Amino acid sequence: MTLDISSAPIASDTTDHAPPGRRPRAAWAQDLSASLVVFLIAVPFSLGIALATGAPLTAGLAAAAVGGIVVGLSGGTPLQVSGPSAALTVITAGLIAQYGWQATCTITLAAGLLQLLLGARRVARTALAVSPAIVHGMLAGVGLAIAIAQLHVVLGGSPQSSALANLLALPAQLSTPHPAALAVGAVTVTVLLGWPRLGRLPGRYGEFGTRLAKVPGPLAAVAAATALAVALDLRLARVELPAWQPHGLAPDLPHGPPLAILAAVLTVTAVASVESLLSGVAVDRMSRRTGDLDRELRGQGLANMVSGLVGGLPVAGGAVRSTANVRAGARSRRSAVLHGVWVLAAALALTGGLRRIPLAALAALVLVVGLQMVSFAHIRKVHRHREFPVYLTTVVAVVLFGVLPGVALGAATAVVLALYRLTRAHVDVLAGPDGSFTVETHGPLTFTAVPRLSRALAGIPAGAEVAVVHDGSFLDHAAYETVHSWRTGHQAGGGRVSMVTRRQDDEVLDPDGTVRTGSSPGPHRCRAWTPWAGHHCIEQQEDPHGRLLDGVRVFQLHTAPLVRPELARLAREGQAPSQLFLTCADSRMVTSMITNSGPGDLFTVRNVGNLVPAPHEPGAADDSVAAAVQYAVEVLEVRSITVCGHSGCGAMKALLDGVHEQPGRPTPLARWLRNGRGSLDRLRRIPAEFTDRPAVDLTEQLCITNVVQQLDQLMANPAVERRVTEGTLRLVGMYFDFATAQAYVLDRESGRFGPVEAATPAAASVRQERDTPGRVDGFEQVPATGTTAADPARGEGGPGLAA
């Protein structure tokens, strides 16, 4: 069956995540499959969270069912899956210990109502203003507290009321472990950590392991531990599932100080909301969608109200479940809803099997989840942004004092650190070989920096030529008066002073060395090309030619002295690039930036649509690209050719719109686009795919399919065919997504495009020319006839536009 690619898909709430051209039945099948995968993860996870909080185990299943069904139907992030939250485990456990289970359900209901009101006030994005160091520190602290508590259960004991008490009691527990519980916990942890690595086994074991690893790791770990306990008839505490009974529409009110109860409601609201919204943003990025965070917050609030009424744990969006949902190929909110239905069915029909699960297995599962909440990637990122003190303070405070005091201490540390940086300025005095001086200031110059600034300026000899370079940060009145007074006195003594501002919106350095403010005459207020981001000022639009010349002047002033020796060497020795880079003429495509290359590295050919005209193409032949390819291959002797497409390509959109087939005398653009007819034909037969996600729309699928087709058409060039046959030339397919700044490389083994950081075999091909001779990335060498036959090894003819 071949579908008509000229018809645009109709977007709806249930099909907006389906790849273009997929029938609704196929989308239903994807959602059904994804829901089963998430269900198999959610059941053991929900039971483990309930165990860690001290709530009835049915409360975890109730929260998972409510989160899946209610948030799935009403949330603003369709692919997010909600349920009991690991981040709320410590909070919920403390509430149950202080107020009791039914009163905790009332607090959950109140928190849900508050979330509903906040969502109605459309303040969801305000929650994202919390420092990432505090958020990650809170999650890491909660994870450590969970792990310490559940370690007691794995050792055969019972957790204490606080993380500090658990730490103090841990040595005694380690000295008297329960052998059976420890063995079950060890099996659970071993299977959980080793399950994803089954595909790395050698030979046939690896193929079998890859198929086996499709079963969710948490399910496999709990199943293995349960089988061990049943087979050896171990005497262990097991899951107890009491008859589920909602505590009614008149739940027990918590007894205690009103302020403490209000603080509990606010804590549950804040943590559940922040986790759900951050997870929602991450899921939107993974699924390349833009969700409605306010609607998501309202959906989370409604779910917490329902969960509190029926006796469930607090609900929040979960990164583990949501990531599994996206990776399993979910297309719409149906997958989350179906997952909730399966959890509800399991709670009602599978109680006999669930009662066989040892508590030590669930505790080991939650222990691993808690440790995984301490992310070293987050630590590196926080350290890179110099916010590690905030992160560490939050982690330690959450473990020792609880979530709310820990977050408060983390926020206080963040404020102190911000004030320190606001008042901290560096002043450096650099002496030049000609007797001149440069005074460089970094950071905001406030009254606190005046003593340091005065000492630096006073040390400059009278009569010297001085350039004061400020980085454009804040300059208060005291610092301004200090600099101005010194400048007046220095100039009166025969010295020269020039004031330079490196970057600031309303005071910038122009190429002639003068300082201009926003009211000064000049072509524009933002400095030409440096930094290059955000150049959309009104003056640029009015005078683009002046903008270009200003950029050239700044290059001559700042960049030319730095690159002149390298360019002089290239002028003497001539160019010797190792690669030909063929890409689109799109202005957003900056080849040197995405390849981290410099002068002399790439021989670049750019045209509309990164097309390689095939010989004897009727009405579309063009020799300019063929000439450039021949020159690169035969004269420059490049060792690789990369064809790079990009997202949102206008040429691909024009091909889909049939611009090349419009009646009448063809325009030059229409004649040129006829070189893409082979890509359209390939799209109907064997469309290219990504390894980690579906194509966003039909245009993107044509963009990556076009890259594969152009690699094929390159083989029609005799010089290319000869070098590839000899094994001295490598062909590489690449795709760049602007929205995520992510490069994808064609994997020659799977024939799919994978992200560069995934370390696929083809990912290293841009920098290392070492591979099987005579092979083109993504498909075997075939006669160059304008199209390429499907390669069974690539699995072509599978799910896509053609079935």
Side-chain angles (χ1 to χ4, degrees):
M1 177 181 65
T2 302
L3 302 177
D4 181 7
I5 63 173
S6 63
S7 59
I10 299 175
S12 71
D13 191 43
T14 57
T15 61
D16 53 357
H17 296 276
R22 293 275 176 91
R23 296 295 188 188
R25 182 178 300 176
W28 266 100
Q30 291 283 344
D31 288 333
L32 178 61
S33 174
S35 70
L36 291 173
V37 171
V38 180
F39 158 71
L40 295 176
I41 295 174
V43 169
F45 187 76
S46 301
L47 292 173
I49 294 297
L51 172 68
T53 60
L57 296 186
T58 51
L61 298 177
V66 169
I69 296 172
V70 176
V71 181
L73 291 174
S74 60
T77 307
L79 297 189
Q80 174 157 260
V81 182
S82 300
S85 165
L88 286 164
T89 301
V90 175
I91 299 172
T92 308
L95 294 178
I96 294 174
Q98 184 174 359
Y99 299 109
W101 168 238
Q102 291 188 347
T104 300
C105 291
T106 305
I107 293 174
T108 301
L109 189 154
L113 179 60
L114 184 55
Q115 284 181 303
L116 198 60
L117 295 175
L118 291 174
R121 295 290 297 173
R122 307 187 69 83
V123 297
R125 292 201 172 270
T126 306
L128 302 179
V130 182
S131 169
I134 297 176
V135 174
H136 296 316
M138 179 196 71
L139 294 177
V142 168
L144 289 175
I146 292 172
I148 295 169
Q150 296 312 299
L151 182 57
H152 284 273
V153 181
V154 172
L155 294 172
S158 299
Q160 306 298 316
S161 58
S162 68
L164 184 58
N166 284 321
L167 276 174
L168 295 176
L170 194 57
Q173 187 67 62
L174 288 170
S175 63
T176 58
H178 189 285
L182 186 59
V184 167
V187 169
T188 305
V189 173
T190 302
V191 174
L192 192 62
L193 297 180
W195 200 255
R197 296 172 173 81
L198 291 178
R200 303 178 187 176
L201 296 174
R204 296 180 179 178
Y205 298 104
E207 298 178 3
F208 176 74
T210 301
R211 291 194 294 268
L212 195 61
K214 293 181 180 179
V215 178
L219 178 67
V222 173
T226 304
L228 176 67
V230 172
L232 300 181
D233 193 21
L234 300 178
R235 295 183 176 274
L236 292 168
R238 301 181 188 270
V239 167
E240 296 181 5
L241 291 177
W244 174 77
Q245 292 179 350
H247 63 275
L249 296 178
D252 290 348
L253 295 176
H255 299 286
L259 289 179
I261 297 172
L262 178 61
V265 173
L266 292 177
T267 301
V268 174
T269 302
V271 175
S273 300
V274 170
E275 184 185 16
S276 299
L277 295 176
L278 291 176
S279 175
V281 171
V283 171
D284 282 338
R285 289 174 181 170
M286 282 190 294
S287 58
R288 302 166 61 85
R289 307 292 299 181
T290 301
D292 185 343
L293 293 183
D294 291 301
R295 179 181 173 184
E296 179 66 23
L297 186 57
R298 293 193 295 271
Q300 296 289 340
L302 185 60
N304 274 311
M305 292 178 66
V306 175
S307 184
L309 282 173
V310 302
L313 291 171
V315 170
V320 175
R321 295 180 295 265
S322 302
T323 301
N325 192 39
V326 174
R327 290 179 177 174
R331 295 292 177 262
S332 72
R333 62 180 71 247
R334 284 188 298 255
S335 60
V337 176
L338 289 173
H339 132 271
V341 172
W342 308 142
V343 172
L344 182 60
L348 298 176
L350 301 178
T351 55
L354 296 177
R355 287 192 177 101
R356 295 178 178 271
I357 299 175
L359 293 183
L362 296 180
L365 170 64
V366 179
L367 184 150
V368 173
V369 171
L371 292 178
Q372 289 175 343
M373 293 172 69
V374 185
S375 170
F376 289 100
H378 290 156
I379 293 175
R380 287 192 296 268
K381 186 178 297 183
V382 166
H383 187 269
R384 188 165 63 247
H385 289 279
R386 298 184 302 165
E387 291 189 330
F388 186 73
V390 178
Y391 177 89
L392 183 61
T393 300
T394 307
V395 171
V396 175
V398 167
V399 172
L400 296 181
F401 308 116
V403 174
L404 194 58
V407 170
L409 285 174
T413 305
V415 171
V416 171
L417 189 62
L419 290 175
Y420 171 78
R421 290 172 179 168
L422 184 63
T423 58
R424 183 69 176 174
H426 295 277
V427 181
D428 300 318
V429 179
L430 307 176
D434 56 352
S436 63
F437 290 84
T438 300
V439 180
E440 294 185 349
T441 65
H442 308 278
L445 288 178
T446 64
F447 65 94
T448 60
V450 167
R452 191 180 307 110
L453 181 63
S454 298
R455 284 194 299 270
L457 295 176
I460 297 176
E465 182 177 349
V466 183
V468 179
V469 182
H470 184 43
D471 65 0
S473 300
F474 178 72
L475 180 73
D476 77 351
H477 184 72
Y480 172 79
E481 287 291 343
T482 300
V483 175
H484 180 71
S485 299
W486 171 83
R487 179 185 184 184
T488 302
H490 191 77
Q491 289 177 335
R496 296 180 58 188
V497 179
S498 60
M499 308 297 293
V500 178
T501 304
R502 285 188 170 177
R503 65 176 183 275
Q504 191 172 350
D505 289 340
D506 57 354
E507 187 177 46
V508 298
L509 173 66
D510 272 359
D512 59 1
T514 61
V515 175
R516 283 185 179 166
T517 63
S519 58
S520 307
H524 50 79
R525 291 172 57 184
C526 55
R527 184 176 175 185
W529 311 118
T530 313
W532 45 262
H535 291 152
H536 304 292
C537 59
I538 299 175
E539 291 82 354
Q540 176 191 355
Q541 299 170 8
E542 293 176 349
D543 185 13
H545 179 65
R547 174 73 173 174
L548 181 65
L549 291 181
D550 282 346
V552 174
R553 294 191 190 102
V554 172
F555 167 81
Q556 293 298 146
L557 179 65
H558 297 287
T559 310
L562 301 177
V563 300
R564 189 171 288 121
E566 176 65 13
L567 292 179
R569 183 189 67 80
L570 291 172
R572 292 191 306 270
E573 301 174 2
Q575 64 170 329
S578 62
Q579 303 181 44
L580 165 61
F581 198 91
L582 196 153
T583 189
C584 186
D586 193 293
S587 62
R588 299 166 294 179
M589 196 68 182
V590 185
T591 58
S592 58
M593 179 179 68
I594 68 172
T595 60
N596 196 28
S597 56
D601 291 338
L602 301 179
F603 186 72
T604 306
V605 176
R606 306 185 69 151
N607 60 50
V608 176
N610 46 276
L611 299 175
V612 180
H616 314 300
E617 180 76 9
D622 182 276
D623 289 333
S624 62
V625 177
V629 171
Q630 182 180 358
Y631 182 79
V633 172
E634 295 186 344
V635 179
L636 298 177
E637 296 183 342
V638 297
R639 297 190 297 276
S640 73
I641 301 177
T642 299
V643 176
C644 183
H646 65 86
S647 60
C649 181
M652 299 301 104
K653 294 178 182 177
L655 279 172
L656 291 173
D657 292 337
V659 171
H660 59 295
E661 295 176 346
Q662 290 180 352
R665 184 176 181 180
T667 64
L669 178 61
R671 286 197 300 272
W672 172 254
L673 289 177
R674 289 175 181 174
N675 293 297
R677 287 181 292 197
S679 299
L680 281 175
D681 179 69
R682 189 186 195 96
L683 181 67
R684 295 186 184 96
R685 298 183 297 105
I686 42 175
E689 301 279 354
F690 292 99
T691 60
D692 62 336
R693 64 174 179 86
V696 171
D697 53 23
L698 193 60
T699 302
E700 184 174 65
Q701 195 143 38
L702 179 57
C703 288
I704 59 177
T705 303
N706 178 60
V707 171
V708 180
Q709 179 64 24
Q710 301 314 309
L711 288 173
D712 186 8
Q713 293 180 186
L714 266 174
M715 291 296 294
N717 188 301
V720 174
E721 184 180 19
R722 175 179 56 80
R723 289 279 307 279
V724 170
T725 303
E726 294 172 352
T728 59
L729 180 65
R730 177 86 177 276
L731 302 188
V732 180
M734 182 182 289
Y735 173 80
F736 188 80
D737 180 38
F738 292 129
T740 59
Q742 176 63 59
Y744 295 80
V745 176
L746 185 64
D747 187 344
R748 62 183 176 84
E749 298 296 335
S750 66
R752 293 170 178 257
F753 284 81
V756 170
E757 65 267 21
T760 58
S765 62
V766 180
R767 295 183 180 178
Q768 300 176 357
E769 285 69 32
R770 48 182 176 85
D771 202 64
T772 306
R775 184 176 177 91
V776 182
D777 273 3
F779 47 87
E780 300 288 349
Q781 180 183 337
V782 296
T785 59
T787 58
T788 300
D791 179 4
R794 296 175 54 198
E796 297 195 343
L801 288 176

